[in-house]
Amino acid sequence: MHEISEWLTSVVDMAPAWAVYLVVCCVVYLETSVLILGLILPSEAVLIAAGVAAAIGQPNIYVLIACACVAALCGDMTGYALGHYSGPRIQNSWAGRKFGAEQWIRAEERVRHNSYVTVPVGRWIGYVRTLVPIAAGMSEVPAHRYALATFLGGSTWATCVLLLAYVLGATVGVQLMGVLVIGLIGAAAVLVLVRWLVHRVQVRHAESGRLP
């Protein structure tokens, strides 16, 4: 852990502020505007790392918050537009089928009937915040209503996560980033293992189904 902390310290010291802003904007935007990326992009982890970097490095926490809020709004509205114009095709795509038909139906109903609760609350749940913008576009929720709901949810989410990471970063510093990196590596390894096991089970079921 000590070696990792020293390495991360040097990385944070060398990383220019604009690079941190760019990474935050790209990850937060793409998570809700590109469905397949929403399944793999760890936006909370990126925001935590950025908040810690602001506490011990060059980035400004207020600029980070502004970038994250704007990126969240733009990503959600892009997802909304895609859902409005290409919703069924996205839902039937490979990535769309990963969520399951019931999830799509439930998301559409909840967004349609209670946007100001479903959208802000959904922003705090990984796969839900990826699903909701497209579902909102498909369910014909008025754009102005969805924009207000997603701005409230996105700005609250981004501000809280970044400020919490900033405060923790100011007290624990790079050790927090070290724990985060180790956690991400472990989570990625577990995810790869689980997907491999699921794939093997599916292959065996398919093979057994073909047996006479």
Side-chain angles (χ1 to χ4, degrees), residues 111-128:
V111 172
R112 186 185 299 114
H113 295 111
N114 206 351
S115 302
Y116 293 113
V117 174
T118 300
V119 176
V121 171
R123 172 48 82 166
W124 292 87
I125 307 172
Y127 75 94
V128 175

Side-chain angles (χ1 to χ4, degrees), residues 103-114 118 135 139:
Q103 292 287 357
W104 284 103
I105 294 172
R106 190 180 300 116
E108 285 186 60
E109 291 178 349
R110 290 184 178 179
V111 172
R112 186 185 299 114
H113 295 111
N114 206 351
T118 300
S139 62

Side-chain angles (χ1 to χ4, degrees), residues 43-193:
S43 59
E44 270 99 357
V46 171
L47 288 182
I48 291 171
V52 174
I56 64 177
Q58 301 180 34
N60 182 284
I61 185 62
Y62 300 109
V63 176
L64 270 177
I65 291 173
C67 288
C69 290
V70 171
L73 177 62
C74 292
D76 284 356
M77 294 310 297
T78 301
Y80 175 91
L82 291 173
H84 181 73
Y85 293 107
S86 306
R89 186 168 59 186
I90 295 173
Q91 184 177 355
N92 293 323
S93 67
W94 174 85
R97 292 195 301 272
K98 291 293 182 181
F99 290 96
E102 292 184 0
Q103 292 287 357
W104 284 103
I105 294 172
R106 190 180 300 116
E108 285 186 60
E109 291 178 349
R110 290 184 178 179
V111 172
R112 186 185 299 114
H113 295 111
N114 206 351
S115 302
Y116 293 113
V117 174
T118 300
V119 176
V121 171
R123 172 48 82 166
W124 292 87
I125 307 172
Y127 75 94
V128 175
R129 64 170 165 264
T130 301
L131 193 70
V132 164
I134 297 173
M138 291 172 59
S139 62
E140 302 296 331
V141 173
H144 67 277
R145 189 207 304 175
Y146 178 73
L148 178 57
T150 199
F151 173 75
L152 293 174
S155 58
T156 303
W157 167 77
T159 302
C160 289
V161 174
L162 282 169
L163 286 179
L164 178 61
Y166 181 79
V167 172
L168 291 175
T171 55
V172 216
V174 186
Q175 291 181 358
L176 177 61
M177 292 187 70
V179 172
L180 179 63
V181 169
I182 294 174
L184 286 175
I185 293 173
V190 170
L191 180 61
V192 170
L193 177 60

